[in-house]
Amino acid sequence: MIVVMAPAADAPAIEHVIARLTERGFDVHRSTGAERTVLGVVGPTQELDTAELELLPGVEEVVRVSTPYKLVSRAFHPDDTLVRVGHPGNNEVTFGGEEVVVAAGPCSVENEEQIRRSAAAVRAAGARLLRGGAFKPRSSPYSFQGLGEQGLELLRMAADAEGLALVTEVMDPSQIGLVAGYADMLQVGARNMQNYVLLRELGRCGKPVLLKRGLAATIEEWLLAAEHVAAAGNRDVVLCERGIRTFETATRNTMDISAIPVIEKRSHLPVIADPSHGIGIRDKVAAMARAAVAAGADGLLVEVHHDPDKALSDGAQSLFPEQFQALMDQLRIIVPALGRSI
């Protein structure tokens, strides 16, 4: 349920409504926009009489929300959410604003030379965040699983050397404290999108979260996963479309470009795209990246390796530095036509 306060409602009126609701056992989440305050009411709201609330001073309208996700819905927060990552005056970037933010780097950190060369290449091309995995969930138990904390140290070193913010994946609740000590943004991979224990703990960690869509997840399931993070206290969530598994075998996944404008209609959270996993074929990644930005994506997550043919993971979908530079040059032509910057 959403309680929309009148533009003229003062602080005591708003606090009075919140107090009435909490006395009844409901959780109340406040969203203050440019013109008015909206209260999201979570709990068995079918027991609430909307007329009772509408009679309270300062209440303009009470709306029952039909979607199962409340806090991440556009109805609760009509304005776009801005998610700030990094440190002001140093490497801070903002998702959801005018800028199309690009995060780039290798699938996984392999050694110091590899991550330093990759970080320098993506920074020179215009990326704002370094991406790379220290813990890698792989389908085969015999594949490279990442360097763990040593990988985190190398990622942080490379990001700092280039003035980049850092986003990396966390796979288990027990890793959150460790990863948060190095990264500016914590990524939830597709396989963990419905790991609700992990999502709830990330809701309490105080770091922005990048939430990838699951391999076979519907948009509603994806938004409900984001709701778990938000309900636990963290509204700084960025959604990432990374392709879904369909009957098509010509590409690694099917890149669902249509999910981008659908999400923007249903949710106030920023949404970015991962064309590398979305299609999984190096020479098709740039086309999917351009299409995602044209569809309204707030950013991109692109895999770039200084020598992808020798990469220990996802080399076939990783761009060479010169290919990434060409993509960024193309985006500098496309993005201004959309009224945005890069």
Side-chain angles (χ1 to χ4, degrees), residues 39-59:
L39 305 177
V41 186
V42 180
T45 55
Q46 65 275 8
E47 301 173 2
L48 272 176
D49 182 359
T50 57
E52 174 189 344
L53 292 174
E54 288 171 342
L55 291 174
L56 294 177
V59 174

Side-chain angles (χ1 to χ4, degrees), residues 128-249:
R128 301 292 307 281
L129 292 94
L130 177 65
R131 58 94 61 222
F135 299 93
K136 296 302 300 178
R138 306 298 297 281
S139 299
S140 169
Y142 308 113
S143 299
F144 177 62
Q145 304 290 316
L147 296 178
E149 186 169 8
Q150 180 190 1
L152 292 172
E153 293 172 353
L154 293 175
L155 283 165
R156 186 72 265 172
M157 185 189 312
D160 289 343
E162 301 297 333
L164 296 166
L166 174 62
V167 55
T168 191
E169 184 170 357
V170 59
M171 295 169 52
D172 186 87
S174 65
Q175 297 173 348
I176 292 176
L178 173 65
V179 178
Y182 292 93
D184 300 299
M185 187 179 208
L186 306 185
Q187 175 183 310
V188 177
R191 292 176 176 86
N192 269 319
M193 188 206 81
Q194 291 180 307
N195 183 340
Y196 300 121
V197 175
L198 175 62
L199 297 178
R200 285 193 293 272
E201 288 303 313
L202 286 170
R204 304 183 182 102
C205 78
K207 285 285 180 82
V209 173
L210 178 65
L211 178 63
K212 285 196 167 188
R213 184 180 182 180
L215 293 170
T218 65
I219 288 175
E220 182 172 290
E221 289 168 341
W222 187 16
L223 288 171
L224 280 168
E227 186 81 2
H228 275 273
V229 181
N234 189 352
R235 309 283 179 81
D236 289 332
V237 180
V238 176
L239 302 169
C240 181
E241 167 58 48
R242 48 82 65 209
I244 52 177
R245 181 170 292 173
T246 67
F247 56 80
E248 184 54 69
T249 58

Side-chain angles (χ1 to χ4, degrees), residues 260-276:
I260 296 167
V262 170
I263 286 290
E264 290 177 341
K265 179 72 178 293
R266 296 187 181 186
S267 177
H268 54 87
L269 298 177
V271 56
I272 69 172
D274 176 356
S276 301

